C-alpha cells in the first residue's frame, strides 16, 4: 500500500515464483517464516543467491540446490544483529557465535556456491544498554580466516565495486574494516531515546 501511494508499480511474488525483468534478468523470491525472504538473481548465466539473515532450513536449502544446481555467488549474514546474551554471559554468547558459524557452514555444504560474500553484519551496538554486545561481534577478519580455506570469500567495504570473476584484493578491504572496528570502543554512546524517536514509534 505504501508503494501504491507513491504511484510505484508493485508485483508480489509467490514462493519460488520467477519473474523476468529487462535485459533478461530473472528474480526468484521465497518467504522464510513470517517476515524473512531470500532472493535469487539470474543474470548473464550467473546465479547470485541472497540469503541475507534468513534462518533457512536444511530442507529449504536442498530445494534451492535442486532448482539451481550451480550457484555462483552466495550472500549471507555473518554475525548477529540482535540480543544474544546478557552482560558477561560469555558461555551463551559463544554458543550463539558457534550457531551462526554452523549456519553459514551448512549453507556452503548444501548449496556449494563458488563464492561467498559476507554482508548484512557491518554495524555496532551504539546504546549504553546494549553496547556490551560489541565485544561478541563476529568481525569480518575472523570470519574470513574461518572460511577462506573452504571457499572463495570476497570482502567488500562501502562504496567498493566488484565485478564477478574479477580478482579482488581482500587485504585492502580487511585493513579498512580493521580501522572501522577499532573505532567502535571510542565512539560516544547513546544514553536515551530522543522524543521524536518515541513519537515515531508510537505513530
Amino acid at each position: 500500500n505504501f508503494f501504491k501511494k507513491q504511484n510505484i508499480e508493485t508485483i508480489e511474488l509467490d514462493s519460488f515464483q520467477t519473474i523476468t525483468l529487462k535485459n533478461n534478468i530473472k528474480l526468484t523470491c521465497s518467504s522464510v517464516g513470517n517476515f524473512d525472504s531470500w532472493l535469487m538473481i539470474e543474470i548473464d548465466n550467473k546465479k547470485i543467491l541472497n540469503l541475507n539473515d534468513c534462518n533457512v532450513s536444511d530442507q529449504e536449502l536442498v530445494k534451492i540446490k535442486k532448482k539451481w544446481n550451480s550457484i555462483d555467488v552466495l550472500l549471507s549474514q555473518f554475525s548477529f544483529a540482535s540480543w544474544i546474551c546478557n552482560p558477561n554471559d560469555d558461555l551463551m554468547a559463544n554458543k550463539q557465535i558457534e550457531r551462526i558459524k554452523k549456519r553459514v557452514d551448512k549453507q556452503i555444504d548444501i548449496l556449494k556456491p563458488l563464492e561467498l560474500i559476507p554482508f548484512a553484519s557491518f554495524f555496532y551496538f551504539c546504546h549504553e544498554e546494549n553496547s556490551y554486545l560489541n565485544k561478541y561481534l563476529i568481525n569480518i577478519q575472523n570470519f574470513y580466516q574461518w572460511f577462506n580455506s573452504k571457499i572463495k570469500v570476497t570482502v567488500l567495504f562501502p562504496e567498493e565495486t566488484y565485478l564477478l570473476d574479477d580478482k579482488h584484493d581482500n587485504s585492502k578491504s580487511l585493513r579498512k574494516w580493521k580501522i572501522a572496528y577499532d573505532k567502535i570502543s571510542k565512539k560516544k554512546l547513546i544514553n536515551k531515546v530522543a522524543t521524536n524517536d518515541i513519537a515515531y514509534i508510537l505513530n
Side-chain angles (χ1 to χ4, degrees):
N1 290 334
F2 171 82
F3 286 118
K4 288 179 180 177
K5 289 179 181 178
Q6 313 304 315
N7 294 318
I8 299 174
E9 182 182 356
T10 62
I11 300 174
E12 186 173 351
L13 300 180
D14 292 327
S15 290
F16 278 88
Q17 178 185 349
T18 300
I19 185 172
T20 302
L21 306 179
K22 294 179 180 179
N23 300 321
N24 202 34
I25 298 173
K26 295 181 179 180
L27 302 179
T28 307
C29 185
S30 182
S31 60
V32 177
N34 296 321
F35 54 86
D36 271 336
S37 62
W38 54 258
L39 180 70
M40 172 65 81
I41 305 166
E42 298 176 78
I43 178 171
D44 295 334
N45 296 318
K46 295 289 184 180
K47 300 177 184 67
I48 304 167
L49 176 61
N50 181 357
L51 291 183
N52 200 351
D53 62 344
C54 290
N55 285 311
V56 184
S57 67
D58 292 357
Q59 292 79 9
E60 181 87 348
L61 291 174
V62 170
K63 189 176 180 181
I64 294 171
K65 180 63 175 175
K66 285 183 177 179
K67 183 171 178 62
W68 296 279
N69 183 49
S70 62
I71 296 173
D72 296 277
V73 181
L74 170 65
L75 294 97
S76 186
Q77 184 185 40
F78 68 91
S79 189
F80 59 93
S82 59
W83 176 91
I84 62 166
C85 69
N86 290 326
N88 300 314
D89 191 350
D90 294 350
L91 181 61
M92 176 62 75
N94 289 331
K95 286 182 179 179
Q96 295 299 319
I97 290 170
E98 284 300 313
R99 179 184 63 81
I100 294 169
K101 288 171 62 178
K102 289 179 179 178
R103 181 177 70 186
V104 176
D105 205 42
K106 181 70 71 173
Q107 293 170 0
I108 295 171
D109 285 342
I110 294 177
L111 297 172
K112 294 180 171 51
L114 299 179
E115 181 176 0
L116 171 64
I117 299 180
F119 84 125
S121 302
F122 297 114
F123 68 94
Y124 71 99
F125 293 91
C126 60
H127 197 281
E128 287 182 350
E129 293 180 352
N130 63 18
S131 61
Y132 71 91
L133 289 167
N134 288 322
K135 74 174 182 177
Y136 302 117
L137 289 176
I138 300 175
N139 69 50
I140 193 63
Q141 292 96 334
N142 288 340
F143 183 90
Y144 178 78
Q145 291 174 358
W146 292 337
F147 290 99
N148 190 49
S149 60
K150 185 170 187 176
I151 186 175
K152 176 186 177 185
V153 180
T154 297
V155 177
L156 300 175
F157 196 81
E159 297 184 358
E160 281 189 324
T161 299
Y162 170 57
L163 301 178
L164 298 181
D165 297 329
D166 278 3
K167 291 184 178 180
H168 177 72
D169 187 357
N170 283 320
S171 62
K172 292 181 180 180
S173 304
L174 289 170
R175 281 197 297 270
K176 291 178 182 179
W177 277 119
K178 184 179 187 309
I179 293 172
Y181 281 115
D182 289 344
K183 289 180 179 179
I184 291 178
S185 61
K186 302 172 185 176
K187 290 182 178 291
K188 185 177 180 180
L189 298 175
I190 298 170
N191 59 15
K192 61 181 179 180
V193 178
T195 304
N196 59 339
D197 289 341
I198 295 175
Y200 176 78
I201 293 170
L202 292 178
N203 291 330

